[in-house]
Amino acid sequence: MLETLQSANEQIKKQKYKYTLLGYRTSQAGFILSGSPFTVHENGEKTEYHGCLVLGFVVQGKGQKEYDLGLTIFWDATQWVITTELSEINDEQGQVIIRELPERKCDKLSDCLREILEAVSDLGQFEEIVTAFEKGSE
């Protein structure tokens, strides 16, 4: 598992570098782990998770807008759920999701590890959206 997370982190660094080449500032790649149980309340439903891991980075646009590109891995006793999102960080509204890819659900660790690498690769889809938003704000 640690090898997969290291590979994911290296892929994220490469994606960050692409934004740097385009003239954007980026944050350090984030890696946040919480092994504490928590509950998510969404759409009137309650889901219990044993923990989560967040991987990603922030791109600062030329107009000072900030975009958060990342994936979150949630787990419980029976499965892992991976979300992949592009959000705009907004002082007034907080974090506003611009695009969310379909959730990935796995019941085996080997499948989860493969899906983590694919989800990190999918962050590349957001480059077009960020650059389009930035062109629109010029």
Side-chain angles (χ1 to χ4, degrees), residues 75-93:
W75 67 86
D76 63 19
T78 61
Q79 70 175 349
W80 290 267
V81 177
I82 303 170
T83 61
T84 310
E85 297 177 344
L86 167 65
S87 301
E88 181 182 337
I89 301 169
N90 183 311
D91 288 339
E92 295 170 8
Q93 297 173 307

Side-chain angles (χ1 to χ4, degrees), residues 24 60-67 88 133-134 137-138:
Y24 300 106
Q60 185 176 30
K62 296 172 184 164
Q64 302 305 312
K65 283 187 179 181
E66 291 186 330
Y67 305 94
E88 181 182 337
F133 268 85
E134 284 299 300
S137 67
E138 291 178 351

Side-chain angles (χ1 to χ4, degrees), residues 86-105:
L86 167 65
S87 301
E88 181 182 337
I89 301 169
N90 183 311
D91 288 339
E92 295 170 8
Q93 297 173 307
Q95 207 159 350
V96 179
I97 295 174
I98 296 171
R99 175 129 188 251
E100 183 174 23
L101 300 180
E103 278 187 353
R104 300 165 184 266
K105 294 185 179 188

Side-chain angles (χ1 to χ4, degrees), residues 1 4 73-82 104-117:
M1 176 158 191
T4 298
I73 304 144
F74 301 95
W75 67 86
D76 63 19
T78 61
Q79 70 175 349
W80 290 267
V81 177
I82 303 170
R104 300 165 184 266
K105 294 185 179 188
C106 315
D107 58 1
K108 295 181 187 170
L109 179 59
S110 58
D111 293 340
C112 177
L113 297 176
R114 186 185 71 253
E115 292 291 341
I116 289 170
L117 294 176

Side-chain angles (χ1 to χ4, degrees), residues 6 8-18 29 57:
Q6 181 64 36
N9 194 43
E10 291 301 315
Q11 282 184 33
I12 285 174
K13 286 179 183 177
K14 288 177 183 176
Q15 291 197 27
K16 270 180 26 118
Y17 185 64
K18 288 180 186 178
F57 61 98

Side-chain angles (χ1 to χ4, degrees), residues 39-42 44-48:
T39 304
V40 173
H41 299 271
E42 189 173 54
E45 293 190 21
K46 182 171 99 168
T47 307
E48 305 277 338

